[in-house]
Amino acid sequence: MIRALIVHEVCLIADLLAQALNSQGDIQVVHRAASPDEALAHMERHACDVVLANILLPDQGALNLTKVVAKKHPEIKMVVTGLLDSKTAILQCLEMGAAGVVQQDDSVDDLVAKVRHVAKGEAIVSPQVAGALIARLAELKRLATELNGYQEISLQDQCTELTAREREILDLLGKGYTNQQIADELIIGVGTVKNHVHNILEKLDVHTRKQAAMIARQLAMGEAMANGGTEYTWPSALGVNVTSRREAASML
């Protein structure tokens, strides 16, 4: 039996929805709430499987309730009802944590089918919404790549264009060396170091020394693990004291 909770500010509509669902035999409406607060209070005391919340609840109540339920009661599936045929609104509900949506032009059969599907952990979306979801995922992937500062390719491939000297400097960047310290270590001028660092950033397709240093540390970790190393000591210049593989991996 699917236990459903209806959240709607209009009592008459809530009653009609309850009648439609209760008539199915495998769905039982356990409570009808007039507000998100009442619904949350009921969920704290009683079990339910699916919550149907009207999108027109005041103060974006349906979206806020969806967000809270997704965080506090992830086992409960949220269905937002009464939506217009708007891909933007539907995506917003799904991003908040809704398991499904019921649009204004959906039938009672559509409503019942969606309740059954979300109760089983499934979803029904139109081809238009599916296309919008795919586009949103691609956009999120692009943004994540930009935030990371480099393309998602293997670290070894990223470093193939580096010269031997640039690889030396990259290793020192990973150890937290400043330009002056690198110059002293390699017995070259600071200006030469700056030129090499500029070239390294361009070849690795990153924007900051910090991002380049992260790549250097990941490379060093991978090489150490490949060689069977079990202990790692990071330089004090990084302000990090790590002596175990687990601790070192957590820094990446």
Side-chain angles (χ1 to χ4, degrees):
M1 182 70 70
I2 300 171
R3 297 161 297 185
L5 189 159
I6 296 173
V7 191
H8 204 296
E9 73 280 14
V10 180
C11 183
L12 175 61
I13 295 178
D15 286 345
L16 291 173
L17 288 172
Q19 289 178 20
L21 294 174
N22 284 332
S23 67
Q24 300 304 310
D26 61 337
I27 303 174
Q28 178 187 7
V29 176
V30 295
H31 188 68
R32 283 162 286 182
S35 69
D37 288 342
E38 181 184 347
L40 286 171
H42 181 85
M43 281 182 265
E44 293 293 339
R45 301 190 306 270
H46 306 284
C48 69
D49 304 303
V50 178
V51 175
L52 295 95
N54 179 30
I55 189 63
L56 297 180
L57 287 168
D59 301 321
Q60 292 191 318
L63 293 178
N64 292 331
L65 177 61
T66 298
K67 187 175 181 179
V68 172
V69 170
K71 182 177 181 180
K72 296 182 64 177
H73 304 283
E75 74 283 0
I76 298 176
K77 308 301 181 184
M78 284 293 306
V79 176
V80 180
T81 65
L83 274 78
L84 296 171
D85 187 14
S86 166
K87 289 185 289 187
T88 300
I90 293 172
L91 285 176
Q92 187 178 20
C93 293
L94 297 177
E95 288 173 349
M96 285 290 185
V101 296
V102 177
Q103 296 174 237
Q104 287 186 356
D105 56 355
D106 281 345
S107 66
V108 171
D109 288 341
D110 293 329
L111 168 67
V112 171
K114 290 179 179 181
V115 169
R116 286 173 176 154
H117 278 284
V118 300
K120 293 188 293 184
E122 302 171 350
I124 299 178
V125 295
S126 67
Q128 292 81 4
V129 173
L133 283 171
I134 292 171
R136 180 61 60 89
L137 287 173
E139 175 67 9
L140 291 174
K141 176 68 173 178
R142 183 187 66 79
L143 291 174
T145 299
E146 289 182 357
L147 288 173
N148 287 335
Y150 54 90
Q151 300 296 320
E152 191 175 296
I153 59 177
S154 74
L155 296 178
Q156 293 294 344
D157 288 343
Q158 284 182 281
C159 296
T160 53
E161 295 185 11
L162 298 182
T163 65
R165 176 63 86 186
E166 288 167 350
R167 182 58 191 268
E168 280 185 294
I169 292 175
L170 178 63
D171 291 340
L172 295 176
L173 287 175
K175 295 176 181 178
Y177 280 41
T178 65
N179 286 345
Q180 185 62 61
Q181 289 171 324
I182 293 173
D184 293 341
E185 177 74 16
L186 300 179
I187 316 177
I188 57 177
V190 174
T192 302
V193 173
K194 290 181 179 179
N195 289 335
H196 281 307
V197 171
H198 174 77
N199 292 336
I200 289 170
L201 298 184
E202 281 199 343
K203 291 180 179 180
L204 295 182
D205 193 22
V206 297
H207 306 294
T208 67
R209 293 169 62 99
K210 184 177 180 180
Q211 291 169 341
M214 179 65 73
I215 291 177
R217 294 198 291 271
Q218 289 176 311
L219 280 169
M221 177 65 65
E223 291 169 356
M225 288 183 174
N227 294 329
T230 58
E231 184 170 301
Y232 311 90
T233 302
W234 295 86
S236 58
L238 290 175
V240 179
N241 182 18
V242 180
T243 57
S244 73
R245 178 177 297 191
R246 177 174 295 179
E247 288 178 308
S250 70
M251 297 298 299
L252 301 179

